[in-house]
Amino acid sequence: DAKTTQPNSMESNEEEPVHLPCNHSTISGTDYIHWYRQLPSQGPEYVIHGLTSNVNNRMASLAIAEDRKSSTLILHRATLRDAAVYYCILREAGTASKLTFGTGTRLQVTL
Amino acid sequence: EPEVTQTPSHQVTQMGQEVILRCVPISNHLYFYWYRQILGQKVEFLVSFYNNEISEKSEIFDDQFSVERPDGSNFTLKIRSTKLEDSAMYFCASTQMGYTQYFGPGTRLTVL
């Protein structure tokens, strides 16, 4: 799996938008960009994924750079419940292969 | 909403003992996985299982580990002779077609 780079930690105020960056300069044309998060003392949880176009779902938005070498997970209004470690993971299209987790970004949300 | 369940939530065992960790994946899912997370470290892949056989395994998944789907609902991870370094959270995951993996809440294994 291609490597991703994320900041170790970020902070946000509650009710503010949060932009979590991910660099993946060696991404291949068939790699999807997946985001998972892990709340304290819980298993990882799927957030969103995309290939080329920006994606929105009820949890977040995913903005993908035109050259696909970076992406940004956007939480539109952070809440205390969004405090978690966020992982950006690349996976080859059409496979049910393993997820390779890095160290992710630890998001702290404060009042 | 369907979810992956795991039992027990916490297992304490003596070094050298066998443990079986149990998972009930989401019912129409076809692919099953075990991951582990040592305290303070990354989530690590152990094994994937499809069509009643192992499809991929990591270097961690040595001869001490085995997986089984004994019936239509359970998916188990067995560690034959536990070591201190097996202490970790073990997560089961499943997916229907491969795009999104759904994780269980984990089993905390403590080896004394």
Side-chain angles (χ1 to χ4, degrees):
Chain A
D1 293 322
K3 189 173 171 58
T4 63
T5 305
Q6 300 178 250
N8 288 332
S9 63
M10 291 185 67
E11 282 188 29
S12 173
N13 295 321
E14 199 177 21
E15 304 295 316
E16 295 290 318
V18 182
H19 292 233
L20 298 166
C22 180
N23 287 318
H24 29 78
S25 58
T26 58
I27 191 170
S28 76
T30 56
D31 284 338
Y32 275 80
I33 302 156
H34 289 249
W35 283 81
Y36 282 75
R37 71 179 185 180
Q38 188 174 21
L39 278 65
S41 302
Q42 294 190 30
E45 174 188 32
Y46 168 79
V47 177
I48 201 167
H49 77 280
L51 184 63
T52 55
S53 304
N54 294 345
V55 184
N56 300 295
N57 67 19
R58 63 177 178 83
M59 288 181 72
S61 296
L62 177 59
I64 301 172
E66 200 169 325
D67 64 5
R68 299 209 327 123
K69 293 185 176 182
S70 66
S71 60
T72 303
L73 179 71
I74 302 165
L75 306 180
H76 295 286
R77 290 178 65 197
T79 70
L80 295 177
R81 287 176 295 177
D82 291 320
V85 179
Y86 287 78
Y87 301 100
C88 170
I89 300 170
L90 302 182
R91 289 184 75 211
E92 189 176 350
T95 72
S97 61
K98 65 182 184 288
L99 293 170
T100 301
F101 289 84
T103 52
T105 296
R106 182 173 298 278
L107 175 66
Q108 287 183 287
V109 181
T110 54
L111 291 169
Chain B
E1 187 173 320
E3 57 184 20
V4 176
T5 59
Q6 291 185 242
T7 54
S9 56
H10 190 190
Q11 173 91 46
V12 181
T13 190
Q14 295 291 325
M15 189 169 55
Q17 295 296 303
E18 174 183 287
V19 294
I20 297 176
L21 309 183
R22 291 183 166 80
C23 168
V24 179
I26 295 172
S27 63
N28 62 346
H29 284 188
L30 303 174
Y31 301 84
F32 313 106
Y33 310 82
W34 284 101
Y35 294 82
R36 79 172 187 189
Q37 186 174 32
I38 296 170
L39 185 65
Q41 297 187 24
K42 295 187 288 188
V43 177
E44 300 174 288
F45 167 77
L46 293 178
V47 65
S48 57
F49 193 84
Y50 171 71
N51 201 25
N52 281 319
E53 59 183 32
I54 291 173
S55 47
E56 187 178 4
K57 60 183 181 179
S58 72
E59 291 179 356
I60 303 168
F61 194 88
D62 60 22
D63 292 344
Q64 293 299 313
F65 291 87
S66 62
V67 289
E68 196 176 37
R69 190 155 160 80
D71 52 42
S73 59
N74 290 284
F75 179 50
T76 62
L77 174 70
K78 181 193 291 186
I79 309 174
R80 289 192 183 81
S81 178
T82 50
K83 302 186 276 257
L84 294 176
E85 55 264 37
D86 293 327
S87 295
M89 283 290 290
Y90 288 80
F91 297 107
C92 172
S94 69
T95 183
Q96 186 179 42
M97 297 300 292
Y99 300 116
T100 301
Q101 290 187 17
Y102 294 86
F103 285 77
T107 293
R108 179 173 300 284
L109 177 64
T110 302
V111 183
L112 302 176

